[in-house]
Amino acid sequence: MSAVAVAEVPRKSPAVPRRRRDGLWWVRVRARVAAVAVVLAGLALPVAAATPAAADPGTFAYVANANSNDVSVIDTGTNTVIATVPVGAVPFGVAVNPAGTRAYVANRNSNDVSVIDTGTNTVTATVPVGTAPFGVAVNPAGTFAYVTNSASNNVSVIDTGTNSVTATIPVGINPQGVAVNPAGTFVYVPNPAANSVSVIDTGTNTVTATVPVGAVPVGVAVNPAGTFAYVTNQGANSVSVIDTGTNTVTATVPVGAFPFGVAVNPAGTRAYVTNRNSNDVSVIDTGTNTVTATVPVGTNPQGVAVNPAGTFAYVTNFFSDSVSVIDTGTNTVTATVPVGTAPFGVAVAVVPASTAACPAGSVITGGGFELTGPAPSNLTSKPVNDTWQVSFTNPTTQDITVTPYAVCADNTP
């Protein structure tokens, strides 16, 4: 016997009340579209609209603002901040898991890690770690996060499934940056006060090698092939290139003054290095280990991250309270995004779409929506596979409340 149901099934949502009315099952989920996050024409909102301050599907940059104790979420499509997430005290490092569903923020002064749900842009867990956590990195499987504790000289290993520390690994003195290789088998930790890099075997959670590098190493990144690690030596104005197969330095690349952050593009052809005291970014050709461009940015650049497409690099400017967006094709700054106070770490990730589908055994037969607030423009409403999607432009400075729904026909006999 067939039936008809109206459903809105968000990707993640708390239980919502349902009521049966005239043979129809109704589920209502409301979402507020913030005025600062203007929905652009052509951007489809899934059947289940997100919760307040949530991000629509797309690529986002997460910026840890050390002095305002929050994280700015930048929509990289518009280069605007669409959410500000309060976290712990003095957030430094930030990393996003490969699925794009969680961001991990190391809070230096509160000795913990904030776990942000990227679908709702809210903190869902706070994990105590060591003293003065600095950097954080997530393994490729998304199962563990590695946090450097700069004042306790160790690394906390967080099980992301339980949000608990399952191991603590002693490393060198004053560890700061951290990176995991693409295979997830090794973690690289620069020790600024020891002029070395600790190499952690993730299978045993022990240090299996210590690699001497330049003076005051702070940042580290591993290329996509996992064959080289790039370490910024703040006290030597250089980058050490470590062959990960032999754990030896095979090249030293001079860069700008006080290099700090480093990121490698997805192709593995370029490394981007922030130089704190020369206010610029050195672009290293990884094939020749030479600097091929120097890009002026804001004041005291710290963190750097490259988007998954490799087309833009995002640089946090600590004293400018901004993020410089570098077009990697032209090596020029094409946008400057105001963020919180004293931005430090940055990570870029693709946030997956919220999903809403008709139940198994049914098909979509229609849909609709309810709008509260000013009239939007460029309004469209249409079925997409087994979902109902609504897109519109909010040309006002006021919020619009959206309640979309889908009508599903049950084909089960």
Side-chain angles (χ1 to χ4, degrees):
M1 182 176 180
S2 64
V4 179
V6 177
E8 293 179 35
V9 186
R11 176 168 58 90
K12 296 185 186 69
S13 70
V16 293
R18 299 189 304 171
R19 65 181 183 275
R20 194 169 180 85
R21 185 171 65 189
D22 299 331
L24 303 182
W25 282 105
W26 295 77
V27 180
R28 286 290 187 221
V29 178
R30 286 197 175 272
R32 295 177 61 83
V33 181
V36 294
V38 175
V39 181
L40 300 180
L43 179 59
L45 296 180
V47 169
T51 56
D56 291 316
T59 303
F60 298 87
Y62 297 82
V63 179
N65 302 304
N67 287 358
S68 53
N69 300 330
D70 53 32
V71 170
S72 296
V73 183
I74 299 174
D75 183 331
T76 63
T78 60
N79 284 325
T80 56
V81 172
I82 57 96
T84 301
V85 187
V87 290
V90 189
F92 269 13
V94 59
V96 181
N97 67 349
T101 56
R102 296 290 184 275
Y104 298 83
V105 183
N107 304 305
R108 187 181 187 279
N109 283 19
S110 53
N111 300 327
D112 53 31
V113 170
S114 298
V115 182
I116 297 174
D117 182 324
T118 61
T120 62
N121 283 324
T122 57
V123 172
T124 56
T126 301
V127 186
V129 290
T131 308
F134 197 101
V136 58
V138 183
N139 70 343
T143 51
F144 293 100
Y146 298 85
V147 181
T148 55
N149 303 303
S150 60
S152 51
N153 302 328
N154 56 30
V155 171
S156 295
V157 182
I158 298 175
D159 182 323
T160 60
T162 61
N163 285 323
S164 60
V165 173
T166 56
T168 302
I169 308 166
V171 290
I173 304 173
N174 192 223
Q176 296 193 7
V178 58
V180 186
N181 71 343
T185 51
F186 292 102
V187 175
Y188 299 85
V189 178
N191 308 299
N195 299 332
S196 66
V197 171
S198 297
V199 183
I200 299 172
D201 183 323
T202 61
T204 61
N205 282 329
T206 58
V207 173
T208 56
T210 302
V211 185
V213 289
V216 194
V218 286
V220 60
V222 181
N223 69 344
T227 50
F228 293 101
Y230 299 82
V231 180
T232 56
N233 303 308
Q234 188 170 256
N237 298 333
S238 66
V239 170
S240 294
V241 183
I242 299 175
D243 183 321
T244 60
T246 61
N247 283 324
T248 57
V249 173
T250 57
T252 302
V253 186
V255 289
F258 267 55
F260 189 82
V262 57
V264 181
N265 68 348
T269 56
R270 297 289 184 273
Y272 298 84
V273 178
T274 58
N275 303 304
R276 296 172 68 176
N277 283 16
S278 52
N279 301 325
D280 52 32
V281 171
S282 297
V283 182
I284 298 174
D285 182 322
T286 60
T288 61
N289 284 324
T290 57
V291 172
T292 56
T294 301
V295 186
V297 289
T299 307
N300 198 235
Q302 304 273 350
V304 57
V306 182
N307 69 342
T311 50
F312 293 98
Y314 299 81
V315 178
T316 57
N317 304 305
F318 190 79
F319 289 137
S320 299
D321 298 337
S322 66
V323 170
S324 295
V325 182
I326 299 174
D327 184 321
T328 59
T330 60
N331 285 324
T332 57
V333 172
T334 56
T336 301
V337 185
V339 288
T341 308
F344 204 88
V346 59
V348 181
V350 175
V351 174
S354 297
T355 58
C358 287
S362 65
V363 295
I364 190 169
T365 59
F369 57 90
E370 297 174 2
L371 294 174
T372 303
S377 59
N378 302 315
L379 180 64
T380 62
S381 178
K382 63 182 179 180
V384 177
N385 297 324
D386 287 332
T387 66
W388 191 267
Q389 295 185 346
V390 179
S391 63
F392 61 95
T393 300
N394 180 359
T396 76
T397 58
Q398 302 179 49
D399 292 352
I400 297 176
T401 301
V402 184
T403 309
Y405 60 85
V407 179
C408 307
D410 188 357
N411 288 340
T412 303

